[in-house]
mmCIF file of all heavy atoms in Angstrom:
data_model
loop_
_atom_site.group_PDB
_atom_site.id
_atom_site.type_symbol
_atom_site.label_atom_id
_atom_site.label_comp_id
_atom_site.label_asym_id
_atom_site.label_seq_id
_atom_site.Cartn_x
_atom_site.Cartn_y
_atom_site.Cartn_z
ATOM 1 N N GLU A 79 114.559 125.780 108.974
ATOM 2 C CA GLU A 79 114.333 125.681 107.532
ATOM 3 C C GLU A 79 113.973 124.259 107.111
ATOM 4 O O GLU A 79 113.211 124.052 106.168
ATOM 5 C CB GLU A 79 115.578 126.143 106.784
ATOM 6 C CG GLU A 79 115.415 126.162 105.290
ATOM 7 C CD GLU A 79 116.644 126.688 104.576
ATOM 8 O OE1 GLU A 79 117.363 127.516 105.153
ATOM 9 O OE2 GLU A 79 116.879 126.251 103.444
ATOM 10 N N ASN A 80 114.506 123.240 107.820
ATOM 11 C CA ASN A 80 114.249 121.853 107.416
ATOM 12 C C ASN A 80 113.684 120.984 108.537
ATOM 13 O O ASN A 80 113.771 119.762 108.459
ATOM 14 C CB ASN A 80 115.508 121.220 106.842
ATOM 15 C CG ASN A 80 116.598 121.082 107.888
ATOM 16 O OD1 ASN A 80 116.517 121.670 108.958
ATOM 17 N ND2 ASN A 80 117.616 120.312 107.578
ATOM 18 N N SER A 81 113.109 121.592 109.571
ATOM 19 C CA SER A 81 112.526 120.772 110.635
ATOM 20 C C SER A 81 111.295 121.437 111.232
ATOM 21 O O SER A 81 111.129 122.655 111.167
ATOM 22 C CB SER A 81 113.558 120.519 111.748
ATOM 23 O OG SER A 81 113.778 121.701 112.503
ATOM 24 N N LEU A 82 110.446 120.595 111.792
ATOM 25 C CA LEU A 82 109.234 121.052 112.466
ATOM 26 C C LEU A 82 109.005 120.154 113.669
ATOM 27 O O LEU A 82 109.089 118.922 113.560
ATOM 28 C CB LEU A 82 108.027 120.969 111.519
ATOM 29 C CG LEU A 82 106.653 121.262 112.125
ATOM 30 C CD1 LEU A 82 106.554 122.716 112.576
ATOM 31 C CD2 LEU A 82 105.550 120.922 111.129
ATOM 32 N N TYR A 83 108.738 120.761 114.822
ATOM 33 C CA TYR A 83 108.409 119.990 116.019
ATOM 34 C C TYR A 83 107.071 120.476 116.547
ATOM 35 O O TYR A 83 106.855 121.674 116.721
ATOM 36 C CB TYR A 83 109.486 120.150 117.089
ATOM 37 C CG TYR A 83 109.158 119.424 118.370
ATOM 38 C CD1 TYR A 83 108.937 118.045 118.378
ATOM 39 C CD2 TYR A 83 109.046 120.106 119.568
ATOM 40 C CE1 TYR A 83 108.619 117.375 119.553
ATOM 41 C CE2 TYR A 83 108.734 119.443 120.743
ATOM 42 C CZ TYR A 83 108.518 118.079 120.727
ATOM 43 O OH TYR A 83 108.204 117.413 121.891
ATOM 44 N N LEU A 84 106.148 119.526 116.767
ATOM 45 C CA LEU A 84 104.821 119.819 117.298
ATOM 46 C C LEU A 84 104.743 119.241 118.707
ATOM 47 O O LEU A 84 104.451 118.050 118.888
ATOM 48 C CB LEU A 84 103.749 119.197 116.402
ATOM 49 C CG LEU A 84 103.812 119.618 114.932
ATOM 50 C CD1 LEU A 84 102.926 118.735 114.073
ATOM 51 C CD2 LEU A 84 103.459 121.078 114.794
ATOM 52 N N PRO A 85 105.020 120.053 119.737
ATOM 53 C CA PRO A 85 105.064 119.523 121.114
ATOM 54 C C PRO A 85 103.770 118.851 121.562
ATOM 55 O O PRO A 85 103.811 117.805 122.205
ATOM 56 C CB PRO A 85 105.360 120.752 121.971
ATOM 57 C CG PRO A 85 105.888 121.780 121.045
ATOM 58 C CD PRO A 85 105.321 121.476 119.695
ATOM 59 N N ALA A 86 102.631 119.421 121.232
ATOM 60 C CA ALA A 86 101.354 118.833 121.675
ATOM 61 C C ALA A 86 101.149 117.443 121.080
ATOM 62 O O ALA A 86 100.570 116.567 121.727
ATOM 63 C CB ALA A 86 100.187 119.745 121.303
ATOM 64 N N ASP A 87 101.616 117.236 119.850
ATOM 65 C CA ASP A 87 101.476 115.940 119.186
ATOM 66 C C ASP A 87 102.670 115.022 119.429
ATOM 67 O O ASP A 87 102.641 113.855 119.038
ATOM 68 C CB ASP A 87 101.294 116.135 117.676
ATOM 69 C CG ASP A 87 100.012 116.871 117.349
ATOM 70 O OD1 ASP A 87 99.010 116.678 118.065
ATOM 71 O OD2 ASP A 87 100.019 117.645 116.368
ATOM 72 N N ARG A 88 103.734 115.560 120.022
ATOM 73 C CA ARG A 88 104.972 114.806 120.282
ATOM 74 C C ARG A 88 105.534 114.219 118.980
ATOM 75 O O ARG A 88 105.923 113.063 118.923
ATOM 76 C CB ARG A 88 104.742 113.719 121.339
ATOM 77 C CG ARG A 88 104.241 114.269 122.657
ATOM 78 C CD ARG A 88 103.878 113.228 123.701
ATOM 79 N NE ARG A 88 103.250 112.008 123.251
ATOM 80 C CZ ARG A 88 101.952 111.839 122.998
ATOM 81 N NH1 ARG A 88 101.119 112.824 123.144
ATOM 82 N NH2 ARG A 88 101.470 110.676 122.615
ATOM 83 N N VAL A 89 105.566 115.058 117.927
ATOM 84 C CA VAL A 89 106.026 114.623 116.609
ATOM 85 C C VAL A 89 107.050 115.624 116.071
ATOM 86 O O VAL A 89 106.825 116.835 116.124
ATOM 87 C CB VAL A 89 104.854 114.507 115.612
ATOM 88 C CG1 VAL A 89 105.346 114.206 114.207
ATOM 89 C CG2 VAL A 89 103.874 113.439 116.059
ATOM 90 N N GLN A 90 108.147 115.087 115.558
ATOM 91 C CA GLN A 90 109.195 115.885 114.928
ATOM 92 C C GLN A 90 109.374 115.405 113.491
ATOM 93 O O GLN A 90 109.423 114.204 113.235
ATOM 94 C CB GLN A 90 110.506 115.709 115.700
ATOM 95 C CG GLN A 90 111.681 116.466 115.128
ATOM 96 C CD GLN A 90 112.953 116.148 115.886
ATOM 97 O OE1 GLN A 90 113.326 114.977 116.025
ATOM 98 N NE2 GLN A 90 113.612 117.175 116.394
ATOM 99 N N ILE A 91 109.466 116.345 112.556
ATOM 100 C CA ILE A 91 109.698 116.016 111.146
ATOM 101 C C ILE A 91 110.953 116.753 110.713
ATOM 102 O O ILE A 91 111.053 117.978 110.905
ATOM 103 C CB ILE A 91 108.499 116.440 110.273
ATOM 104 C CG1 ILE A 91 107.240 115.727 110.734
ATOM 105 C CG2 ILE A 91 108.800 116.171 108.799
ATOM 106 C CD1 ILE A 91 105.968 116.278 110.138
ATOM 107 N N ILE A 92 111.894 116.019 110.135
ATOM 108 C CA ILE A 92 113.129 116.612 109.646
ATOM 109 C C ILE A 92 113.283 116.230 108.179
ATOM 110 O O ILE A 92 113.239 115.042 107.828
ATOM 111 C CB ILE A 92 114.347 116.109 110.454
ATOM 112 C CG1 ILE A 92 114.188 116.485 111.932
ATOM 113 C CG2 ILE A 92 115.641 116.680 109.869
ATOM 114 C CD1 ILE A 92 115.242 115.891 112.840
ATOM 115 N N GLU A 93 113.461 117.225 107.326
ATOM 116 C CA GLU A 93 113.696 116.967 105.911
ATOM 117 C C GLU A 93 115.173 116.661 105.712
ATOM 118 O O GLU A 93 116.042 117.344 106.258
ATOM 119 C CB GLU A 93 113.290 118.184 105.081
ATOM 120 C CG GLU A 93 113.395 117.940 103.598
ATOM 121 C CD GLU A 93 112.910 119.103 102.762
ATOM 122 O OE1 GLU A 93 112.892 120.250 103.279
ATOM 123 O OE2 GLU A 93 112.549 118.871 101.605
ATOM 124 N N THR A 94 115.460 115.615 104.937
ATOM 125 C CA THR A 94 116.831 115.226 104.623
ATOM 126 C C THR A 94 116.992 115.233 103.101
ATOM 127 O O THR A 94 116.016 115.405 102.370
ATOM 128 C CB THR A 94 117.148 113.818 105.157
ATOM 129 O OG1 THR A 94 116.380 112.862 104.421
ATOM 130 C CG2 THR A 94 116.841 113.693 106.646
ATOM 131 N N ALA A 95 118.206 115.016 102.632
ATOM 132 C CA ALA A 95 118.452 114.958 101.186
ATOM 133 C C ALA A 95 117.689 113.798 100.544
ATOM 134 O O ALA A 95 117.294 113.868 99.387
ATOM 135 C CB ALA A 95 119.942 114.827 100.911
ATOM 136 N N GLU A 96 117.467 112.704 101.289
ATOM 137 C CA GLU A 96 116.798 111.511 100.762
ATOM 138 C C GLU A 96 115.295 111.505 100.991
ATOM 139 O O GLU A 96 114.585 110.700 100.410
ATOM 140 C CB GLU A 96 117.383 110.237 101.396
ATOM 141 C CG GLU A 96 118.839 109.987 101.090
ATOM 142 C CD GLU A 96 119.776 110.836 101.950
ATOM 143 O OE1 GLU A 96 119.389 111.228 103.070
ATOM 144 O OE2 GLU A 96 120.885 111.121 101.480
ATOM 145 N N GLY A 97 114.799 112.359 101.884
ATOM 146 C CA GLY A 97 113.375 112.327 102.196
ATOM 147 C C GLY A 97 113.094 112.980 103.535
ATOM 148 O O GLY A 97 113.378 114.146 103.738
ATOM 149 N N TYR A 98 112.572 112.179 104.473
ATOM 150 C CA TYR A 98 112.171 112.722 105.765
ATOM 151 C C TYR A 98 112.465 111.753 106.898
ATOM 152 O O TYR A 98 112.428 110.539 106.722
ATOM 153 C CB TYR A 98 110.660 113.016 105.791
ATOM 154 C CG TYR A 98 110.254 114.078 104.809
ATOM 155 C CD1 TYR A 98 109.783 113.740 103.550
ATOM 156 C CD2 TYR A 98 110.359 115.421 105.143
ATOM 157 C CE1 TYR A 98 109.416 114.709 102.637
ATOM 158 C CE2 TYR A 98 109.995 116.402 104.230
ATOM 159 C CZ TYR A 98 109.536 116.042 102.980
ATOM 160 O OH TYR A 98 109.184 116.999 102.077
ATOM 161 N N GLN A 99 112.727 112.328 108.074
ATOM 162 C CA GLN A 99 112.745 111.578 109.327
ATOM 163 C C GLN A 99 111.505 112.019 110.093
ATOM 164 O O GLN A 99 111.257 113.221 110.229
ATOM 165 C CB GLN A 99 113.985 111.903 110.155
ATOM 166 C CG GLN A 99 115.275 111.496 109.526
ATOM 167 C CD GLN A 99 116.458 111.918 110.385
ATOM 168 O OE1 GLN A 99 116.304 112.457 111.487
ATOM 169 N NE2 GLN A 99 117.650 111.682 109.872
ATOM 170 N N ILE A 100 110.741 111.055 110.563
ATOM 171 C CA ILE A 100 109.573 111.340 111.389
ATOM 172 C C ILE A 100 109.845 110.689 112.728
ATOM 173 O O ILE A 100 110.076 109.485 112.803
ATOM 174 C CB ILE A 100 108.282 110.800 110.742
ATOM 175 C CG1 ILE A 100 108.100 111.442 109.371
ATOM 176 C CG2 ILE A 100 107.081 111.063 111.652
ATOM 177 C CD1 ILE A 100 106.995 110.847 108.551
ATOM 178 N N ARG A 101 109.829 111.498 113.769
ATOM 179 C CA ARG A 101 110.230 111.014 115.088
ATOM 180 C C ARG A 101 109.206 111.432 116.128
ATOM 181 O O ARG A 101 108.591 112.479 115.995
ATOM 182 C CB ARG A 101 111.596 111.592 115.461
ATOM 183 C CG ARG A 101 112.680 111.208 114.477
ATOM 184 C CD ARG A 101 113.967 111.975 114.726
ATOM 185 N NE ARG A 101 115.049 111.339 114.016
ATOM 186 C CZ ARG A 101 115.764 110.325 114.489
ATOM 187 N NH1 ARG A 101 115.517 109.846 115.677
ATOM 188 N NH2 ARG A 101 116.731 109.795 113.771
ATOM 189 N N GLY A 102 109.065 110.605 117.160
ATOM 190 C CA GLY A 102 108.215 111.005 118.262
ATOM 191 C C GLY A 102 107.459 109.873 118.903
ATOM 192 O O GLY A 102 107.479 108.733 118.448
ATOM 193 N N SER A 103 106.780 110.232 119.969
ATOM 194 C CA SER A 103 106.011 109.250 120.726
ATOM 195 C C SER A 103 104.519 109.430 120.520
ATOM 196 O O SER A 103 103.715 108.774 121.162
ATOM 197 C CB SER A 103 106.350 109.364 122.217
ATOM 198 O OG SER A 103 106.065 110.668 122.677
ATOM 199 N N GLY A 104 104.140 110.323 119.631
ATOM 200 C CA GLY A 104 102.727 110.564 119.360
ATOM 201 C C GLY A 104 102.243 109.796 118.144
ATOM 202 O O GLY A 104 102.853 108.820 117.709
ATOM 203 N N GLU A 105 101.150 110.256 117.579
ATOM 204 C CA GLU A 105 100.550 109.644 116.390
ATOM 205 C C GLU A 105 101.436 109.966 115.189
ATOM 206 O O GLU A 105 101.498 111.108 114.754
ATOM 207 C CB GLU A 105 99.144 110.197 116.195
ATOM 208 C CG GLU A 105 98.530 109.922 114.843
ATOM 209 C CD GLU A 105 98.474 108.454 114.479
ATOM 210 O OE1 GLU A 105 97.847 107.689 115.217
ATOM 211 O OE2 GLU A 105 99.066 108.088 113.450
ATOM 212 N N LEU A 106 102.136 108.976 114.661
ATOM 213 C CA LEU A 106 103.089 109.193 113.579
ATOM 214 C C LEU A 106 102.497 108.919 112.200
ATOM 215 O O LEU A 106 102.985 109.439 111.201
ATOM 216 C CB LEU A 106 104.336 108.341 113.805
ATOM 217 C CG LEU A 106 105.063 108.593 115.146
ATOM 218 C CD1 LEU A 106 106.263 107.671 115.278
ATOM 219 C CD2 LEU A 106 105.462 110.045 115.284
ATOM 220 N N LEU A 107 101.458 108.110 112.121
ATOM 221 C CA LEU A 107 100.869 107.762 110.830
ATOM 222 C C LEU A 107 100.371 109.002 110.092
ATOM 223 O O LEU A 107 100.534 109.119 108.877
ATOM 224 C CB LEU A 107 99.725 106.762 111.005
ATOM 225 C CG LEU A 107 99.054 106.305 109.716
ATOM 226 C CD1 LEU A 107 100.034 105.509 108.860
ATOM 227 C CD2 LEU A 107 97.835 105.459 110.034
ATOM 228 N N THR A 108 99.790 109.946 110.820
ATOM 229 C CA THR A 108 99.266 111.144 110.168
ATOM 230 C C THR A 108 100.373 112.029 109.607
ATOM 231 O O THR A 108 100.100 112.897 108.777
ATOM 232 C CB THR A 108 98.376 111.966 111.125
ATOM 233 O OG1 THR A 108 99.120 112.276 112.295
ATOM 234 C CG2 THR A 108 97.120 111.193 111.484
ATOM 235 N N ALA A 109 101.605 111.826 110.026
ATOM 236 C CA ALA A 109 102.749 112.521 109.431
ATOM 237 C C ALA A 109 103.327 111.712 108.276
ATOM 238 O O ALA A 109 103.780 112.272 107.280
ATOM 239 C CB ALA A 109 103.819 112.785 110.477
ATOM 240 N N VAL A 110 103.314 110.391 108.384
ATOM 241 C CA VAL A 110 103.909 109.534 107.355
ATOM 242 C C VAL A 110 103.151 109.637 106.030
ATOM 243 O O VAL A 110 103.756 109.807 104.964
ATOM 244 C CB VAL A 110 103.970 108.058 107.819
ATOM 245 C CG1 VAL A 110 104.350 107.135 106.673
ATOM 246 C CG2 VAL A 110 104.958 107.904 108.970
ATOM 247 N N ILE A 111 101.841 109.534 106.049
ATOM 248 C CA ILE A 111 101.057 109.431 104.814
ATOM 249 C C ILE A 111 101.197 110.658 103.908
ATOM 250 O O ILE A 111 101.479 110.512 102.718
ATOM 251 C CB ILE A 111 99.578 109.104 105.126
ATOM 252 C CG1 ILE A 111 99.489 107.740 105.836
ATOM 253 C CG2 ILE A 111 98.738 109.122 103.858
ATOM 254 C CD1 ILE A 111 100.154 106.589 105.104
ATOM 255 N N PRO A 112 101.039 111.897 104.406
ATOM 256 C CA PRO A 112 101.200 113.022 103.483
ATOM 257 C C PRO A 112 102.632 113.173 102.964
ATOM 258 O O PRO A 112 102.844 113.577 101.819
ATOM 259 C CB PRO A 112 100.770 114.247 104.295
ATOM 260 C CG PRO A 112 100.634 113.800 105.689
ATOM 261 C CD PRO A 112 100.560 112.316 105.707
ATOM 262 N N LEU A 113 103.618 112.819 103.778
ATOM 263 C CA LEU A 113 105.007 112.909 103.310
ATOM 264 C C LEU A 113 105.323 111.798 102.316
ATOM 265 O O LEU A 113 106.081 112.015 101.360
ATOM 266 C CB LEU A 113 105.964 112.898 104.499
ATOM 267 C CG LEU A 113 105.846 114.147 105.386
ATOM 268 C CD1 LEU A 113 106.716 114.014 106.622
ATOM 269 C CD2 LEU A 113 106.171 115.412 104.616
ATOM 270 N N LEU A 114 104.737 110.629 102.504
ATOM 271 C CA LEU A 114 104.875 109.556 101.519
ATOM 272 C C LEU A 114 104.278 110.012 100.190
ATOM 273 O O LEU A 114 104.888 109.840 99.128
ATOM 274 C CB LEU A 114 104.176 108.286 102.014
ATOM 275 C CG LEU A 114 104.047 107.142 101.016
ATOM 276 C CD1 LEU A 114 105.415 106.698 100.513
ATOM 277 C CD2 LEU A 114 103.287 105.987 101.652
ATOM 278 N N ASP A 115 103.107 110.627 100.242
ATOM 279 C CA ASP A 115 102.471 111.134 99.032
ATOM 280 C C ASP A 115 103.353 112.181 98.358
ATOM 281 O O ASP A 115 103.545 112.162 97.143
ATOM 282 C CB ASP A 115 101.099 111.714 99.369
ATOM 283 C CG ASP A 115 100.311 112.105 98.129
ATOM 284 O OD1 ASP A 115 100.273 111.309 97.168
ATOM 285 O OD2 ASP A 115 99.738 113.206 98.135
ATOM 286 N N ARG A 116 103.931 113.074 99.125
ATOM 287 C CA ARG A 116 104.807 114.121 98.573
ATOM 288 C C ARG A 116 106.012 113.513 97.862
ATOM 289 O O ARG A 116 106.344 113.909 96.742
ATOM 290 C CB ARG A 116 105.264 115.069 99.677
ATOM 291 C CG ARG A 116 106.232 116.134 99.200
ATOM 292 C CD ARG A 116 106.626 117.066 100.348
ATOM 293 N NE ARG A 116 107.688 117.942 99.970
ATOM 294 C CZ ARG A 116 107.544 119.111 99.358
ATOM 295 N NH1 ARG A 116 106.338 119.517 99.024
ATOM 296 N NH2 ARG A 116 108.577 119.869 99.075
ATOM 297 N N LEU A 117 106.668 112.550 98.498
ATOM 298 C CA LEU A 117 107.835 111.917 97.877
ATOM 299 C C LEU A 117 107.443 111.165 96.610
ATOM 300 O O LEU A 117 108.179 111.194 95.618
ATOM 301 C CB LEU A 117 108.540 110.988 98.866
ATOM 302 C CG LEU A 117 109.248 111.682 100.023
ATOM 303 C CD1 LEU A 117 109.806 110.643 100.988
ATOM 304 C CD2 LEU A 117 110.342 112.619 99.534
ATOM 305 N N CYS A 118 106.301 110.510 96.636
ATOM 306 C CA CYS A 118 105.833 109.794 95.438
ATOM 307 C C CYS A 118 105.594 110.767 94.290
ATOM 308 O O CYS A 118 106.021 110.520 93.161
ATOM 309 C CB CYS A 118 104.560 109.006 95.739
ATOM 310 S SG CYS A 118 104.833 107.521 96.722
ATOM 311 N N VAL A 119 104.928 111.889 94.571
ATOM 312 C CA VAL A 119 104.642 112.869 93.526
ATOM 313 C C VAL A 119 105.945 113.456 92.980
ATOM 314 O O VAL A 119 106.086 113.664 91.776
ATOM 315 C CB VAL A 119 103.691 113.968 94.049
ATOM 316 C CG1 VAL A 119 103.618 115.149 93.101
ATOM 317 C CG2 VAL A 119 102.311 113.381 94.286
#
Side-chain angles (χ1 to χ4, degrees):
E79 184 177 330
N80 65 346
S81 72
L82 173 66
Y83 177 58
L84 304 167
D87 296 326
R88 302 175 323 277
V89 174
Q90 179 185 55
I91 300 168
I92 300 173
E93 185 176 23
T94 68
E96 297 79 26
Y98 296 95
Q99 295 177 4
I100 301 171
R101 300 170 165 274
S103 59
E105 166 56 59
L106 302 179
L107 181 65
T108 56
V110 170
I111 298 306
L113 293 174
L114 171 58
D115 187 45
R116 177 179 171 86
L117 291 175
C118 286
V119 167

